[in-house]
Amino acid sequence: MILTVTLNTALDLTYRVRSLRPHASHRVSEVIERPGGKGVNVGRVLAALGHEVTVTGFAGGGTGRAVREGLAGTEGLTDALVPVAGATRRTIAVVDEHSGDTTQLNEPGPQIAPAEWATFLDRYTELLSGASAVALCGSLPPGVPVGAYAGLIRTARSLGVPVLLDTGGEPLRRGVAARPDIIKPNADELAELTGSHDPLRATESARRRGAHTVIASLGPNGLLATTPEGRWRATPPGRVHGNPTGAGDSAVAALLSGLVTHLPWPIRLTHAIALSAATVRAPAAGEFDRQTYEELLGRVTVTGQAGVA
């Protein structure tokens, strides 16, 4: 079982408009509602790939109920979300059909009480006993300690469970010091962590700070992987237009799948790029266009070699 942690779950709403214009009224042509939050998206993609997945974190209020109802019946996915008094946040993606671009609005999330955090910690430790890997994903809701991910990493490491961390800011800085197996920051998060805007230098710096492996997401320019086994760069065949919400989460799902199935790094990165691009083409976050995914597997370019990191 792969465990995904989403401390700040969300109800994702996707609106499609003909053309998004500031200071104007818009007629929405389509509304899609899905369970969301980075780890939830990762879990749904992993389940679609055939893995057994357990999703944990927090869910509360009417939006939390909608998230849980949306997860119910997903083959291969177990809901282990912890109930809270506050309402789960919403994220809103507005897709401009003319340009293909997306505007994202993210709410902050509910206030988490100390007793709710303690309940989660007990649930997390219990779930780790049956996990082959764990992904810690996304922002922290109000009330959760800024060093939360560092503590969760140490708990997983003490039980021998490999950890992938996907977050930013101070939670990332503190988390890296706890020595996660993999981190997957984007270029801005990596620069904030290391002070370097050169991706290669930044990934090397992040490893010196404690990360075992660094997978830097470079947007349309692909992924840069700096690992103990070597260094690789993976790039898509071209830019894919659509809704980018959840694309990075699909890359995380591919990396976790490759981790638990022991695939070589170039193949892991190929799947991560193809799955990420296929998610951009899908109508809603947490899904992917399987035809695009399969087509791109043979068109991703991976350069680099073992033994140079």
Side-chain angles (χ1 to χ4, degrees):
M1 176 268 287
I2 299 174
L3 177 63
T4 72
V5 174
T6 314
L7 298 177
N8 212 3
T9 53
L11 183 65
D12 285 342
L13 301 173
T14 302
Y15 296 153
R16 300 187 71 88
V17 299
R18 184 181 299 276
S19 179
L20 183 62
R21 304 180 309 280
H23 318 298
S25 297
H26 297 78
R27 187 173 298 277
V28 177
S29 61
E30 182 182 26
V31 180
I32 301 174
E33 181 179 288
R34 293 287 188 275
K38 295 179 74 65
V40 170
N41 291 336
V42 170
R44 291 170 60 210
V45 172
L46 281 168
L49 292 173
H51 293 279
E52 293 294 322
V53 184
T54 297
V55 173
T56 191
F58 298 111
T63 44
R65 285 193 298 273
V67 167
R68 304 191 84 157
E69 289 169 1
L71 292 175
T74 302
E75 186 176 356
L77 187 147
T78 299
D79 171 3
L81 294 168
V82 174
V84 294
T88 294
R89 66 186 178 131
R90 295 165 298 179
T91 65
I92 300 171
V94 183
V95 179
D96 184 320
E97 295 176 338
H98 176 72
S99 68
D101 293 331
T102 300
T103 299
Q104 188 80 18
L105 304 173
N106 297 328
E107 295 179 358
Q111 180 76 30
I112 304 300
E116 293 168 338
W117 177 240
T119 298
F120 167 78
L121 290 176
D122 290 341
R123 176 72 60 86
Y124 174 73
T125 302
E126 177 185 332
L127 291 169
L128 281 174
S129 64
S132 57
V134 58
L136 308 175
C137 303
S139 61
L140 302 179
V144 172
V146 70
Y149 283 138
L152 298 181
I153 291 166
R154 293 186 186 101
T155 300
R157 286 176 57 84
S158 72
L159 297 173
V161 180
V163 184
L164 186 152
L165 176 63
D166 184 13
T167 189
E170 186 65 12
L172 174 60
R173 189 184 70 80
R174 297 198 186 193
V176 165
R179 306 187 67 80
D181 295 87
I182 303 172
I183 63 170
K184 196 206 71 66
N186 61 35
D188 290 339
E189 292 164 344
L190 188 60
E192 183 181 0
L193 173 66
T194 65
S196 174
H197 291 274
D198 177 82
L200 180 56
R201 291 182 180 178
T203 57
E204 292 171 344
S205 175
R207 288 199 65 216
R208 289 193 298 270
R209 292 166 187 262
H212 191 67
T213 288
V214 182
I215 311 296
S217 176
L218 307 178
N221 294 319
L223 298 171
L224 174 64
T226 300
T227 83
E229 292 81 22
R231 184 187 301 128
W232 292 270
R233 178 77 173 267
T235 56
R239 185 174 180 183
V240 179
H241 291 280
N243 180 5
T245 306
D249 305 330
S250 289
V252 169
L255 294 171
L256 283 168
S257 178
L259 172 67
V260 299
T261 55
H262 309 290
L263 293 178
W265 273 110
I267 298 178
R268 295 190 207 185
L269 297 171
T270 296
H271 282 273
I273 290 288
L275 199 54
S276 178
T279 299
V280 174
R281 290 283 294 273
E287 299 179 353
F288 63 93
D289 184 278
R290 191 170 291 274
Q291 182 177 352
T292 301
Y293 172 48
E294 293 173 353
E295 288 176 352
L296 287 176
L297 282 174
R299 299 171 58 200
V300 175
T301 300
V302 179
T303 58
Q305 62 186 41
V308 297

